Amino acid sequence: MINIPKGTKDVLPDESYKWQYIENTAREVARVFNLSEIRTPVFEYTELFRRGVGEGTDVVNKEMYTFEDKGGRSITLKPEGTAGVVRLFIENGLASSPMPVKTYYITPAFRYERPQAGRLREFHQFGIEVFGSASYQTDAEVIFAASTFLDMLGVKTQLQINSIGCKTCRAEYNRALKEYFKPRLVGMCETCRLRFDKNPLRMLDCKEEGCKKINAGAPNITDFLCEECAEHFNGVKSLLDGYGKKYTVNPRIVRGLDYYSKTVFEFVSDEIGSQGTVCGGGRYDGLVEELGGNPTPAIGFAAGIERLMLLMENSSAPFPEADKPAIYLAGMDEISRAAAFKIATDLRLKGVRAEIDHMGRSVKAQLKYADKIGAKFAAVIGEDELKSKVLNVKNMADGTACAVKVENLYAYLLQEKK
């Protein structure tokens, strides 16, 4: 037997409705925030992620699924959504569209890392990317889109925000970080020692306990923001405050990818263990230019669907019940089964979930099966029903029955649904 690869997961028939619920909620949020769906390839040229995500990141250095195709080109399965969306934005000339360009995606992504609860090697994301606006109001709107999505799912999270400034103020902050970390490097992990020269800001993102203790005393980026970045961050906070949205300023949020600037944010939960971030994002004003486009401000976020699934299963935000058949039509013989087929087809074409027998079961077995699959109503079709064109429609929950003409069955089921 060939088993599923480590770090991947099958979605079974009795689970798929949960995925559909989360994805449909994401699409509804996208609709009300006026976002258009985009889809990018599952794989891209490796250089896109090296330049876009960052050479010094764990994603690029340790976690990407990279291989050579038959033409000798280096190809990588997408480890995150933003770089591919930026490539799409540039390559398809969306910079000439009316601004802002507001997009969303639901996509698989791939990272080679140790599988654990809420972290798989193949995972899925709902993401939003908005191009063309440098306004702090756009930052707030994207944060509210994420908040609305999580609220609609009923999950409880805490919003944490920060500003990591621009190239100007971050240069001064990096010097301050180096002064702080240099005498403490001996007590830090190898990854942090490598990051010290390349990007000391990334040292604040380390998850090693020893490094986290040292990081606690490091200077805060918010004390080094230039006037423009400080005003931008204050503008974001003023809009959140004005709507009464609770948040915490967490100066240790830097996000794990190199392309971020100014506003960064995370929605975190303490109900799913160490994988507490269920949604994160921020502004990346330099990435479009870095990947060959004209300078274009942008901001976005991504929410992990598997982590949301875990959070919803472990919390007081249960999934709604799966949709069940409205009616099961049982046939007694070949002629009545053909009639059941026709009635079921008519109902299905009108949007009613109907089911019939495909296994040659007895009527008794058919009704037992109807109960197992959760059908709300059942009706047996025999010689009398064929002649009278009246069905005895049984409520499977309480056993009551009602005589319904076949021509009125759709209206009856519609009324009972209400």
Side-chain angles (χ1 to χ4, degrees):
M1 177 179 173
I2 301 173
N3 294 319
I4 192 170
K6 184 178 181 180
T8 61
K9 189 177 185 299
D10 292 319
V11 178
L12 303 180
D14 61 354
E15 298 174 322
S16 58
Y17 79 95
K18 298 179 180 179
W19 286 78
Q20 292 165 8
Y21 175 68
I22 292 176
E23 291 168 1
N24 289 341
T25 302
R27 295 184 191 282
E28 176 60 16
V29 170
R31 185 187 71 82
V32 299
F33 279 85
N34 195 35
L35 300 151
S36 299
E37 184 178 11
I38 52 170
R39 304 188 186 195
T40 61
V42 169
F43 58 87
E44 302 263 10
Y45 290 121
T46 302
E47 183 64 16
L48 173 69
F49 301 114
R50 293 195 182 280
R51 289 173 56 188
V53 176
E55 288 279 6
T57 63
D58 286 346
V59 171
V60 170
N61 291 338
K62 302 177 182 179
E63 298 170 1
M64 293 201 311
Y65 278 90
T66 298
F67 57 94
E68 278 196 3
D69 67 7
K70 292 183 179 181
R73 294 167 290 249
S74 183
I75 298 294
T76 295
L77 300 181
K78 69 167 82 168
E80 55 89 51
T82 301
V85 175
V86 173
R87 193 266 314 146
L88 174 151
F89 176 83
I90 299 168
E91 186 169 349
N92 292 279
L94 296 187
S96 61
S97 304
M99 294 293 177
V101 174
K102 302 170 67 174
T103 68
Y104 82 94
Y105 55 85
I106 299 173
T107 186
F110 306 85
R111 295 186 190 180
Y112 189 85
E113 52 188 346
R114 184 171 64 86
Q116 53 190 295
R119 176 172 288 186
L120 298 174
R121 290 176 175 175
E122 181 191 32
F123 56 99
H124 299 77
Q125 294 181 332
F126 163 51
I128 286 176
E129 314 290 353
V130 178
F131 298 92
S133 170
S135 169
Y136 64 79
Q137 186 169 333
T138 308
D139 299 29
E141 180 174 295
V142 169
I143 291 172
F144 271 106
S147 176
T148 302
F149 173 56
L150 298 172
D151 289 345
M152 287 177 68
L153 293 177
V155 298
K156 295 180 180 178
T157 58
Q158 297 83 45
L159 170 60
Q160 299 181 358
I161 64 173
N162 189 28
S163 175
I164 57 173
C166 62
K167 289 183 178 180
T168 301
C169 49
R170 204 153 57 229
E172 184 180 350
Y173 181 55
N174 280 336
R175 284 193 290 271
L177 285 177
K178 285 190 172 184
E179 289 180 9
Y180 173 79
F181 283 127
K182 188 172 183 178
R184 298 170 174 83
L185 277 178
V186 67
M188 304 190 78
C189 70
E190 181 180 355
T191 301
C192 281
R193 291 197 293 271
L194 290 172
R195 288 172 174 170
F196 177 78
D197 289 319
K198 292 183 178 180
N199 190 352
L201 184 68
R202 290 288 325 287
M203 297 170 71
L204 298 175
D205 196 41
C206 186
K207 302 300 187 290
E208 295 286 340
E209 287 301 321
C211 296
K212 286 168 69 175
K213 290 179 181 178
I214 294 174
N215 289 342
N220 293 333
I221 178 65
T222 47
D223 295 329
F224 291 81
L225 296 179
C226 65
E227 184 177 354
E228 179 190 347
C229 289
E231 288 181 359
H232 188 99
F233 193 43
N234 287 335
V236 174
K237 291 187 290 183
S238 70
L239 289 177
L240 297 178
D241 291 336
Y243 197 80
K245 180 63 183 176
K246 294 182 179 179
Y247 63 87
T248 301
V249 176
N250 181 353
R252 291 297 175 264
I253 295 179
V254 296
R255 304 294 298 144
L257 308 176
D258 281 354
Y259 50 61
Y260 287 111
S261 59
K262 292 185 178 177
T263 307
V264 290
F265 61 91
E266 294 181 351
F267 287 84
V268 300
S269 170
D270 57 7
E271 297 183 6
I272 52 174
S274 60
Q275 307 305 320
T277 302
V278 295
C279 175
R283 180 165 283 281
Y284 49 94
D285 289 346
L287 185 56
V288 176
E289 184 177 13
E290 174 66 28
L291 293 179
N294 294 322
T296 307
I299 183 171
F301 74 75
I305 294 179
E306 283 85 355
R307 292 190 187 182
L308 283 170
M309 194 92 63
L310 184 65
L311 179 57
M312 294 178 72
E313 290 172 346
N314 292 349
S315 72
S316 58
F319 288 94
E321 290 187 7
D323 192 20
K324 303 292 185 182
I327 189 168
Y328 185 94
L329 296 157
M332 299 183 71
D333 53 30
E334 287 302 310
I335 296 175
S336 58
R337 288 174 192 272
F341 179 89
K342 182 180 184 305
I343 295 170
T345 301
D346 287 342
L347 291 172
R348 289 165 176 168
L349 292 175
K350 294 176 181 177
V352 175
R353 187 165 181 163
E355 188 56 285
I356 57 175
D357 180 50
H358 294 281
M359 304 302 294
R361 295 183 175 97
S362 66
V363 169
K364 182 178 179 180
Q366 288 182 64
L367 294 177
K368 189 175 181 180
Y369 176 72
D371 186 55
K372 283 184 177 180
I373 64 174
K376 186 174 181 181
F377 295 98
V380 177
I381 303 175
E383 185 177 350
D384 291 343
E385 288 76 19
L386 290 173
K387 289 180 179 178
S388 66
K389 296 186 178 180
V390 175
L391 302 181
N392 192 39
V393 179
K394 178 183 177 182
N395 186 314
M396 298 295 285
D398 60 21
T400 59
C402 181
V404 181
K405 290 183 178 180
V406 171
E407 64 188 60
N408 296 332
L409 184 57
Y410 171 72
Y412 177 80
L413 294 174
L414 203 64
Q415 179 63 37
E416 288 298 318
K417 186 177 182 180
K418 296 177 182 178

